[in-house]
Amino acid sequence: MNGSFADLHRGPLPLLLPNAWDVPSALAFVAAGYPAVATTSQGVASSLGRPDATRSTREANLRLASALGRLAVPVTVDCEDGYDDDPDTVAAYVAEVAEHGVAGVNLEDSLDGALVEPEAFAAKVAAVKHRAPEVFLNARVDTFWFHQDDTVEATLARAMRYVDAGADGVFVPGLGDLDAIRGLADALPVPLNVLPVAGRSLADLGALGVRRVSTGSLPYRASLAAAVATAAAVREGSEPPPSLSYPDLQAALSEYAS
C-alpha cells in the first residue's frame, strides 16, 4: 500500500479529497494546496457525453491515470465497479492503472443502479489486493446511495466482507445521518469515507470518526453551473463568476507538459 497516501487518513482532520475530471482540474486542486487528488467517474463519463456507472470510462480512466500519475501529490482513480464481472479481469485492470503511478482506486459494489452480491464484490477486492497489494483500495458500499438495504447493519455487513477481503478503506456515499456515521466509523477497522454532509465541517465529521471526505462529482457539476452563469453574466452585462486567468492556466499547463 502507498504509505504516504494511507498516512493522509491519519491526520488531525479527515482527508478532504477533491475529485478532478481532467488534467486542468487536477492541476488547479494541486495548486490550491490539496495533498491528494481523486478522479470522479461521473465527471469523466459526462465529459464523454455518457452517463455514469455504465462501464463507459474504462479507457478514459486509463488515459487519465497516465496523465495524472506524475503529479506531485498522490492520485486515486474512481474505477466504477472495475468494468467487468470477473475478479481477475478487474485485478488486471487495476494493476494497469497502478502502473501509471497512482496511489489508490475506488471500486463500487453496484452496477446500473443496483447492488451486486457482496460475495461477488469481495472476490474482486481480494483479486485486486493479490495482484496490486500496494494500491489503497477504497471499497464503496452503495446501500445508502441507492436506498437498497440502507441500514447500518446491512451496510456494515457488506463493508466487513470487503475489509476481510483486503479493502484499505470503506466509502459510503449518501450517508448523512450522524448516528449512522458514528456507528459505522466506530465499527470499521479501516478509514470511513463519506461525501460532504450539509452544515457539518471537517472537524464535525472527524469527531464522528470519519477519516476521509470526498467531494465526488460536486466540483464538476459546479463547473457546469459556473459556465452557464458566466455566459448569462456576459449576456446581462453583470459581473461573471471568478475564474482562472488565461496566462495562469497556460503557465500551469506549460509547466506540466514540459
Side-chain angles (χ1 to χ4, degrees):
M1 187 197 312
N2 187 295
S4 61
F5 182 59
D7 290 343
L8 292 175
H9 296 73
R10 305 186 186 106
L13 289 175
L15 169 63
L16 178 56
L17 195 58
N19 294 75
W21 56 95
D22 58 10
V23 169
S25 57
L27 291 176
F29 288 133
V30 173
Y34 290 95
V37 173
T39 68
T40 163
S41 64
Q42 185 180 52
V44 174
S46 180
S47 66
L48 298 172
R50 301 168 186 169
D52 188 23
T54 57
R55 294 181 172 175
S56 66
T57 61
R58 186 185 192 281
E59 297 307 318
N61 260 335
L62 275 176
R63 293 192 294 271
L64 189 54
S66 176
L68 300 184
R70 56 194 179 92
L71 292 179
V73 302
V75 173
T76 181
V77 176
D78 182 353
C79 295
E80 298 189 16
D81 75 324
Y83 309 109
D84 205 280
D85 295 330
D86 178 64
D88 290 336
T89 302
V90 173
Y93 177 79
V94 172
E96 188 175 1
V97 169
E99 288 175 359
H100 295 296
V102 305
V105 296
N106 260 42
L107 291 176
E108 58 202 39
D109 67 349
S110 63
L111 179 64
D112 291 334
L115 296 174
V116 300
E117 290 299 319
E119 296 84 357
F121 185 73
K124 291 184 181 181
V125 172
V128 167
K129 292 304 294 184
H130 177 75
R131 181 74 177 264
E134 75 285 357
V135 171
F136 188 105
L137 196 161
N138 204 36
R140 179 173 137 176
V141 184
D142 278 342
T143 48
F144 284 88
W145 192 241
F146 293 119
H147 302 292
Q148 299 169 16
D149 293 334
D150 53 347
T151 66
V152 171
E153 293 76 18
T155 302
L156 182 60
R158 280 179 171 265
M160 288 306 300
R161 283 181 181 268
Y162 310 153
V163 171
D164 290 343
D168 302 295
V170 168
F171 180 26
V172 187
L175 184 63
D177 180 83
L178 303 188
D179 289 335
I181 292 173
R182 186 188 299 277
L184 283 171
D186 287 346
L188 286 170
V190 298
L192 174 64
N193 179 192
V194 299
L195 291 174
V197 177
R200 300 294 171 177
S201 67
L202 287 180
D204 294 335
L205 295 175
L208 297 174
V210 171
R211 300 311 313 146
R212 172 166 156 181
V213 178
S214 300
T215 62
S217 63
L218 177 60
Y220 174 76
R221 292 182 284 111
S223 74
L224 297 180
V228 173
T230 299
V234 172
R235 180 182 60 199
E236 296 160 7
S238 58
E239 186 71 20
S243 65
L244 294 177
S245 74
Y246 182 91
D248 286 347
L249 181 55
Q250 280 289 89
L253 290 171
S254 296
E255 181 179 359
Y256 169 81
S258 63

